[in-house]
Amino acid sequence: MLENLIANRWTPSAAAEWTAVMNPSRGVEIARCPVGSAADVDAAVRAARGALAGWAETPPGDRARILFRYKALLEEKFAEIALLICREHGKTLVEAQGDLRRGLDVVDLACGIPSLLMGQKLGQVARNIDGEAERFPVGVCAGITPYNFPAMIPLWMIPLALACGNTFVFKPSPKVPLTAARLVELLVEAGLPPGVLNLVHGGVETVHAILDHPGIAAVSFVGSTPVAREVYRRGTANGKRVQAAGGAKNFMIVMPDADMDLAAEAILSSSFGCAGQRCMAGSVAVVAGRAAEPITERLRGLAETMAVGATDEGAAVGMGPVIDGAAEERVRRYLAMGEAQGVEMLVDGRRHARPAGGYFVGPSIVSGVGAESGLLRDEVFGPVLTLLREEDLDGAIARANESPYGNGAVIYTRSGGAARKFARNVNCGMIGVNIGVPAPMALFPFAGWNESFFGDLHVQGNEGIQFYTRTKVTLTRWS
């Protein structure tokens, strides 16, 4: 049974019930995660509040030194953690390595906190008066993370929050708690003082306790849009800062002048990487004009030959399992609904050779999808790609802008004019040109729009620093 980390000590949960942590490649239980309770959250918050004053007054350079040691430990244990991600999530080894590497990029950013926290000063802002703006910690912060990126998304939040002088309560997904436990264990090993970072396991009750606890000042969340909306509503109603990233339906536009081989490989990786279980997955490809036939044939050939298999031992396969039986059933249900609606099944993942055990659906490509179909409207969150056809760029942009989401969109073209028009007119926050997944590097914010994000300041980059700090302005007059 997994335990909570409170003030640097592993502590049993107050909850007696638990959920099974599964190896999705084999369909077998590998650990048990407590369902959590309000008492667990309160214990974590009390520890975090007790450590806050001392940590906030710790010089930024000293906080950075702990993060430098943490980065060294993550690099030293890189292979071990990547295999742990494979085992409890089902990512391929390359995907797991990418998951951790993108998280490490944020640790790199946080190590530069002395420069990032520098304020502003203007002498003689008025006669005999000097003005200064300085950043201070927000207080006790909390992070609620999903299963699809066990390392990257926690590392979006924790390093920046701690570097800014806050203390932190971390609630990972109960589907992937083993990676989370290892991440915090290494931070303690790096020298983090007791109470600065606390981990609590659990589900809905734990989330509600975080959102309602008066001792928590700010909450970061990543998950589905309905839950993100409720986290934002409930958290802000309780006076907290909230950044809540939700789901997506990302569009990829293929122009007739595109490099078709490059586009096909990029779309395949975007749609079927991580078994389609990421908010930046390319879900809909809009092919313009005469691009339809060459890109469709390439995609069909690549998808039909993609190797699907168990990933828990780091095997070199193209795609691993989905996270659990419920996820597999959901993807199969969407494909069955589409088939009943007369959708053309260009590649049917239900018929893909399936390894014994585990939760597998092969890559699927569908065409002829109606505007009201769930395959076009909903976030399936699985390895399903929908193909649409439009005559030109204007029509393709219009189709993309019909989506209520606003995470990412990409275009494949050799035309600078088409790329510029697309980037300026498509209604979302992250744009790619001849790129599969336009998720920004750590220096830039993860800038979802519309139904893909609720809040004012995004994770990562300068917006992450702003979210985890508040500004104090001092005016000084000396006679």
Side-chain angles (χ1 to χ4, degrees), residues 11 23 28 34 40 52 61 66 113 121-122 152 169 212 219 222 226-227 280 354 377 389 394-395 441 471 474 477:
T11 307
N23 174 344
V28 297
D40 292 343
L52 180 60
I66 292 174
I113 200 65
K121 185 171 183 177
L122 179 61
M152 182 185 76
V169 175
D212 294 341
V219 176
V222 177
V227 180
M280 291 300 288
R354 175 178 175 170
R377 192 179 62 246
R389 296 191 180 192
D394 289 336
M441 303 301 179
T471 302
T474 303
R477 174 189 282 152

Side-chain angles (χ1 to χ4, degrees), residues 243 445-449 453 455-461 463-465 467:
Q243 50 182 195
F446 193 86
W449 284 12
F453 183 75
D456 298 308
L457 295 168
H458 299 84
V459 297
Q460 293 195 155
E463 289 195 31
I465 300 296
F467 181 79

